[in-house]
Amino acid sequence: MRRKVTKAIFPVAGLGTRILPATKSVPKEIMTLVDRPLVQYAIDEARAAGIKEFIFVTSRGKSALEDYFDHSPVLEQELRKKGKTELLETLKSTDMESGAIAYIRQHKALGLGHAVWCARRLIANEPFAVMLPDDVIAAEKPCLQQMVEAYEESGGNMVAAMEVPPEKASSYGVLDVAEDHGSVVRVKGMVEKPKAEDAPSNLAVIGRYILEPTVLRNLNKLKQGSGGEIQLTDAIAEDITSDVPVYGYRFRGQRFDCGSKAGFLQATVAFGLSRDDLRDDLAGYLREVIQTDKAAQ
Ligand code: G1P
């Protein structure tokens, strides 16, 4: 029997410089997509995939994240007094069972691989998920759940993958494909942020991973890679040489890069349009804007 994936690491220590000045005092992960912070989407996706323990790798200035998942007795009491049961219900999604959530500080910004390595003692010797909350994925079946189902068949390491335009490959980890089976590809190499001309394919890694504990052992060596940082991509690729298979999983869904302004705006429109309570107003407004724009041309 394959071990169940019940732990997930959320690396949230980044400075969010692509969305400055907003991120000067608000952690990127707390920024609002429609009416929920980015991190709530990641937590909901993790829960749907069967995750029971949530490990946040944070840094200075991220205390808003801890408060978000804490009980808020004054607010709750006030809502109860006023009979606002619907709002109380909404707050439930932020509830965390005692002990289900842990925060670890990454003291130095040494890269994604280092952030994941910081959580090694809480993972010990079992498979685990890594989720990057600024990759928001809209999908009928949540992306991590799709991956857990595929992982139950395949085992090994699995990364979410998506085709990107070749000129964009240099912004991602890129897969060198050995065998393409459609939704699952077997990988023979991975390169972090290659130059466009050196990219082995245009199949890019997106921020969802299911990893074997061997990856943590590879990270123990703390070797610097692309950009002088300790890269998760390199530690996963190292497993290929020691015969732990690595798979890319082409998920079904639409990914938004909410670490960028344009991506955040697109996600806001897409998630707004997917909401029954907002669709008509927002769609009407967008039609108006497009018509005015056309008329002005
Ligand atoms: C990270 C990973 C990269 C991956 C990307 C997906 O890069 O290092 O391999 O393709 O997330 O969003 P970052 O965007 O944090 O620089």
Side-chain angles (χ1 to χ4, degrees):
M1 252 300 262
R2 222 175 282 299
R3 288 198 70 171
K4 279 215 167 324
V5 185
T6 60
K7 296 179 180 176
I9 301 176
F10 301 81
V12 291
L15 291 175
T17 48
R18 287 193 291 164
I19 318 200
L20 275 170
T23 46
K24 187 178 169 206
S25 64
V26 181
K28 177 175 63 176
E29 301 75 19
I30 285 292
M31 287 182 53
T32 316
L33 183 51
V34 185
D35 55 4
R36 292 187 282 164
L38 284 187
V39 69
Q40 182 72 57
Y41 292 86
I43 291 287
D44 290 349
E45 188 181 325
R47 280 187 172 133
I51 299 296
K52 306 276 183 257
E53 289 182 51
F54 307 84
I55 303 162
F56 283 80
V57 182
T58 69
S59 59
R60 183 176 293 275
K62 300 278 180 169
S63 53
L65 261 170
E66 295 191 33
D67 290 344
Y68 180 76
F69 290 113
D70 200 359
H71 283 268
S72 179
V74 177
L75 176 63
E76 285 163 31
Q77 204 183 346
E78 203 52 33
L79 293 177
R80 213 165 287 123
K81 221 165 65 191
K82 292 192 173 143
K84 307 242 179 201
T85 38
E86 231 173 87
L87 290 180
L88 273 169
E89 203 52 40
T90 310
L91 277 186
K92 278 209 177 124
S93 60
T94 69
D95 276 356
M96 280 285 177
E97 204 190 311
S98 295
I101 191 161
Y103 299 92
I104 289 182
R105 280 244 175 147
Q106 183 188 23
H107 294 113
K108 284 187 193 160
L110 295 177
L112 178 60
H114 179 259
V116 168
W117 178 79
C118 288
R120 66 200 176 282
R121 293 202 177 86
L122 293 181
I123 299 294
N125 201 28
E126 55 188 286
F128 60 100
V130 176
M131 302 182 76
L132 310 187
D134 49 5
D135 277 339
V136 176
I137 299 171
E140 215 163 284
K141 183 184 279 186
C143 179
L144 191 67
Q145 189 183 346
Q146 296 176 34
M147 289 174 69
V148 164
E149 288 171 9
Y151 168 82
E152 275 162 10
E153 300 286 318
S154 68
N157 294 298
M158 183 174 279
V159 301
M162 178 183 101
E163 257 83 25
V164 297
E167 70 279 9
K168 296 268 168 70
S170 57
S171 305
Y172 297 92
V174 178
L175 302 182
D176 193 354
V177 176
E179 293 163 31
D180 195 332
H181 300 287
S183 58
V184 177
V185 301
R186 174 103 184 221
V187 169
K188 61 173 184 254
M190 287 169 81
V191 196
E192 181 67 15
K193 307 210 170 77
K195 286 197 198 126
E197 61 271 26
D198 298 335
S201 73
N202 65 338
L203 199 52
V205 177
I206 299 303
R208 303 287 184 276
Y209 309 76
I210 297 176
L211 301 176
E212 293 295 325
T214 43
V215 172
L216 295 173
R217 292 199 277 281
N218 299 342
L219 283 168
N220 276 336
K221 296 170 211 155
L222 298 178
K223 272 198 285 201
Q224 285 181 357
S226 167
E229 294 189 338
I230 294 154
Q231 296 294 352
L232 185 58
T233 306
D234 296 340
I236 300 169
E238 206 180 318
D239 259 6
I240 302 171
T241 50
S242 44
D243 283 339
V244 184
V246 177
Y247 301 100
Y249 181 79
R250 285 194 183 95
F251 56 94
R252 294 174 302 283
Q254 195 180 0
R255 174 257 186 178
F256 298 93
D257 175 11
C258 287
S260 78
K261 291 173 211 173
F264 212 121
L265 285 170
Q266 287 159 14
T268 303
V269 173
F271 279 78
L273 289 174
S274 73
R275 288 267 299 253
D276 291 343
D277 55 337
L278 299 170
R279 185 180 306 115
D280 291 349
D281 274 359
L282 182 57
Y285 173 70
L286 290 173
R287 269 194 294 272
E288 225 173 85
V289 171
I290 290 164
Q291 271 155 14
T292 321
D293 200 40
K294 272 194 190 143
Q297 277 170 11

PDB file of all heavy atoms in Angstrom, residues 191-203:
ATOM      1  N   VAL A 191      15.193  21.405 -15.522  1.00  0.00           N
ATOM      2  CA  VAL A 191      16.108  22.553 -15.474  1.00  0.00           C
ATOM      3  C   VAL A 191      15.360  23.755 -14.930  1.00  0.00           C
ATOM      4  O   VAL A 191      14.261  24.074 -15.389  1.00  0.00           O
ATOM      5  CB  VAL A 191      16.617  22.931 -16.893  1.00  0.00           C
ATOM      6  CG1 VAL A 191      17.832  23.846 -16.792  1.00  0.00           C
ATOM      7  CG2 VAL A 191      16.922  21.710 -17.715  1.00  0.00           C
ATOM      8  N   GLU A 192      15.950  24.423 -13.952  1.00  0.00           N
ATOM      9  CA  GLU A 192      15.315  25.609 -13.387  1.00  0.00           C
ATOM     10  C   GLU A 192      15.671  26.837 -14.222  1.00  0.00           C
ATOM     11  O   GLU A 192      16.839  27.125 -14.448  1.00  0.00           O
ATOM     12  CB  GLU A 192      15.757  25.795 -11.924  1.00  0.00           C
ATOM     13  CG  GLU A 192      15.146  26.988 -11.217  1.00  0.00           C
ATOM     14  CD  GLU A 192      13.640  26.887 -10.989  1.00  0.00           C
ATOM     15  OE1 GLU A 192      13.068  25.787 -11.117  1.00  0.00           O
ATOM     16  OE2 GLU A 192      13.024  27.916 -10.676  1.00  0.00           O
ATOM     17  N   LYS A 193      14.647  27.522 -14.688  1.00  0.00           N
ATOM     18  CA  LYS A 193      14.773  28.780 -15.430  1.00  0.00           C
ATOM     19  C   LYS A 193      15.881  28.749 -16.487  1.00  0.00           C
ATOM     20  O   LYS A 193      16.849  29.526 -16.424  1.00  0.00           O
ATOM     21  CB  LYS A 193      14.967  29.938 -14.454  1.00  0.00           C
ATOM     22  CG  LYS A 193      13.878  29.956 -13.378  1.00  0.00           C
ATOM     23  CD  LYS A 193      13.544  31.302 -12.844  1.00  0.00           C
ATOM     24  CE  LYS A 193      12.307  31.255 -11.979  1.00  0.00           C
ATOM     25  NZ  LYS A 193      12.437  30.733 -10.643  1.00  0.00           N
ATOM     26  N   PRO A 194      15.734  27.842 -17.465  1.00  0.00           N
ATOM     27  CA  PRO A 194      16.752  27.784 -18.531  1.00  0.00           C
ATOM     28  C   PRO A 194      16.612  28.979 -19.474  1.00  0.00           C
ATOM     29  O   PRO A 194      15.535  29.587 -19.537  1.00  0.00           O
ATOM     30  CB  PRO A 194      16.391  26.500 -19.282  1.00  0.00           C
ATOM     31  CG  PRO A 194      14.913  26.361 -19.066  1.00  0.00           C
ATOM     32  CD  PRO A 194      14.609  26.934 -17.706  1.00  0.00           C
ATOM     33  N   LYS A 195      17.684  29.301 -20.186  1.00  0.00           N
ATOM     34  CA  LYS A 195      17.546  30.283 -21.276  1.00  0.00           C
ATOM     35  C   LYS A 195      16.597  29.662 -22.298  1.00  0.00           C
ATOM     36  O   LYS A 195      16.622  28.433 -22.482  1.00  0.00           O
ATOM     37  CB  LYS A 195      18.906  30.506 -21.945  1.00  0.00           C
ATOM     38  CG  LYS A 195      19.844  31.337 -21.111  1.00  0.00           C
ATOM     39  CD  LYS A 195      20.970  31.839 -22.037  1.00  0.00           C
ATOM     40  CE  LYS A 195      22.135  32.288 -21.205  1.00  0.00           C
ATOM     41  NZ  LYS A 195      23.391  31.656 -21.587  1.00  0.00           N
ATOM     42  N   ALA A 196      15.806  30.491 -22.978  1.00  0.00           N
ATOM     43  CA  ALA A 196      14.798  29.959 -23.905  1.00  0.00           C
ATOM     44  C   ALA A 196      15.428  28.928 -24.849  1.00  0.00           C
ATOM     45  O   ALA A 196      14.850  27.865 -25.104  1.00  0.00           O
ATOM     46  CB  ALA A 196      14.154  31.092 -24.677  1.00  0.00           C
ATOM     47  N   GLU A 197      16.638  29.229 -25.358  1.00  0.00           N
ATOM     48  CA  GLU A 197      17.238  28.316 -26.352  1.00  0.00           C
ATOM     49  C   GLU A 197      17.748  27.009 -25.726  1.00  0.00           C
ATOM     50  O   GLU A 197      17.974  26.028 -26.424  1.00  0.00           O
ATOM     51  CB  GLU A 197      18.352  29.020 -27.156  1.00  0.00           C
ATOM     52  CG  GLU A 197      19.543  29.533 -26.342  1.00  0.00           C
ATOM     53  CD  GLU A 197      19.363  30.961 -25.813  1.00  0.00           C
ATOM     54  OE1 GLU A 197      18.211  31.399 -25.632  1.00  0.00           O
ATOM     55  OE2 GLU A 197      20.399  31.632 -25.574  1.00  0.00           O
ATOM     56  N   ASP A 198      17.904  26.983 -24.403  1.00  0.00           N
ATOM     57  CA  ASP A 198      18.388  25.754 -23.751  1.00  0.00           C
ATOM     58  C   ASP A 198      17.257  24.915 -23.144  1.00  0.00           C
ATOM     59  O   ASP A 198      17.511  23.842 -22.589  1.00  0.00           O
ATOM     60  CB  ASP A 198      19.368  26.105 -22.610  1.00  0.00           C
ATOM     61  CG  ASP A 198      20.603  26.831 -23.123  1.00  0.00           C
ATOM     62  OD1 ASP A 198      20.921  26.637 -24.306  1.00  0.00           O
ATOM     63  OD2 ASP A 198      21.211  27.588 -22.342  1.00  0.00           O
ATOM     64  N   ALA A 199      16.020  25.429 -23.217  1.00  0.00           N
ATOM     65  CA  ALA A 199      14.912  24.717 -22.559  1.00  0.00           C
ATOM     66  C   ALA A 199      14.702  23.350 -23.223  1.00  0.00           C
ATOM     67  O   ALA A 199      14.583  23.274 -24.442  1.00  0.00           O
ATOM     68  CB  ALA A 199      13.645  25.555 -22.637  1.00  0.00           C
ATOM     69  N   PRO A 200      14.654  22.269 -22.433  1.00  0.00           N
ATOM     70  CA  PRO A 200      14.496  20.937 -23.030  1.00  0.00           C
ATOM     71  C   PRO A 200      13.094  20.686 -23.598  1.00  0.00           C
ATOM     72  O   PRO A 200      12.899  19.739 -24.358  1.00  0.00           O
ATOM     73  CB  PRO A 200      14.782  19.992 -21.859  1.00  0.00           C
ATOM     74  CG  PRO A 200      14.595  20.796 -20.621  1.00  0.00           C
ATOM     75  CD  PRO A 200      14.872  22.218 -20.980  1.00  0.00           C
ATOM     76  N   SER A 201      12.110  21.493 -23.218  1.00  0.00           N
ATOM     77  CA  SER A 201      10.748  21.372 -23.764  1.00  0.00           C
ATOM     78  C   SER A 201      10.016  22.664 -23.407  1.00  0.00           C
ATOM     79  O   SER A 201      10.628  23.589 -22.874  1.00  0.00           O
ATOM     80  CB  SER A 201      10.009  20.180 -23.121  1.00  0.00           C
ATOM     81  OG  SER A 201       9.643  20.495 -21.783  1.00  0.00           O
ATOM     82  N   ASN A 202       8.724  22.712 -23.711  1.00  0.00           N
ATOM     83  CA  ASN A 202       7.973  23.865 -23.205  1.00  0.00           C
ATOM     84  C   ASN A 202       6.957  23.420 -22.149  1.00  0.00           C
ATOM     85  O   ASN A 202       5.941  24.055 -21.927  1.00  0.00           O
ATOM     86  CB  ASN A 202       7.311  24.663 -24.339  1.00  0.00           C
ATOM     87  CG  ASN A 202       6.251  23.870 -25.047  1.00  0.00           C
ATOM     88  OD1 ASN A 202       6.270  22.640 -24.996  1.00  0.00           O
ATOM     89  ND2 ASN A 202       5.327  24.540 -25.700  1.00  0.00           N
ATOM     90  N   LEU A 203       7.283  22.286 -21.502  1.00  0.00           N
ATOM     91  CA  LEU A 203       6.442  21.791 -20.417  1.00  0.00           C
ATOM     92  C   LEU A 203       7.018  22.297 -19.090  1.00  0.00           C
ATOM     93  O   LEU A 203       8.108  21.891 -18.673  1.00  0.00           O
ATOM     94  CB  LEU A 203       6.425  20.256 -20.467  1.00  0.00           C
ATOM     95  CG  LEU A 203       5.291  19.538 -19.750  1.00  0.00           C
ATOM     96  CD1 LEU A 203       3.925  20.070 -20.175  1.00  0.00           C
ATOM     97  CD2 LEU A 203       5.365  18.036 -20.020  1.00  0.00           C
TER      98      LEU A 203
END
